[in-house]
Amino acid sequence: MIQPPSRRAAAFLLAWGVLAGLAPTAHASEDADRARRALERGEIRPLDEILRAAREAVPGDVVAVDLKRDDGHWRYKLRILGADGKRRSVKIDAGSLKILDEDDDD
């Protein structure tokens, strides 16, 4: 017969589960803070300018946005769902708005 966990073990598992559930939120908050600081320092352009540049390169609805620092440069990767139903990725230099790459995800 399987014994139920002790109260202490159950409390630990519950606390761990709650903390594990908060981890993505904490990470997202850190990402937002990094992006805000980069914008304030003039290292990246405002998101509305990034979205406009992406839509000009690949028309459609932006469904995901990812900002990363790579080799000393901030880069956005956006996933766009076109009117034709195809998903495409667009990489944009976050400071210059230059389109670095675009390709089909499908």
Side-chain angles (χ1 to χ4, degrees):
M1 177 178 213
I2 298 174
Q3 296 291 322
S6 68
R7 287 181 191 249
R8 187 173 183 185
F12 171 79
L13 291 172
L14 178 62
W16 185 83
V18 168
L19 290 175
L22 293 177
T25 303
H27 183 68
S29 177
E30 290 172 17
D31 287 348
D33 289 342
R34 283 182 1 154
R36 186 175 15 267
R37 288 191 303 271
L39 180 63
E40 290 169 354
R41 290 189 300 262
E43 296 174 358
I44 64 173
R45 304 288 285 273
L47 186 58
D48 62 333
E49 293 179 25
I50 301 293
L51 295 173
R52 188 172 25 257
R55 287 188 185 117
E56 287 175 9
V58 178
D61 296 321
V62 175
V63 296
V65 177
D66 188 26
L67 175 65
K68 291 187 179 181
R69 187 150 175 94
D70 186 30
D71 293 330
H73 298 277
W74 288 101
R75 296 195 169 107
Y76 273 102
K77 179 178 181 181
L78 296 96
R79 288 179 189 83
I80 298 176
L81 181 62
D84 58 3
K86 289 187 178 181
R87 292 175 297 168
R88 294 175 177 84
S89 292
V90 178
K91 293 179 185 171
I92 301 176
D93 182 288
S96 70
L97 299 179
K98 179 182 176 185
I99 304 298
L100 302 172
D101 186 32
E102 61 180 84
D103 56 17
D104 290 346
D105 284 351
D106 294 334

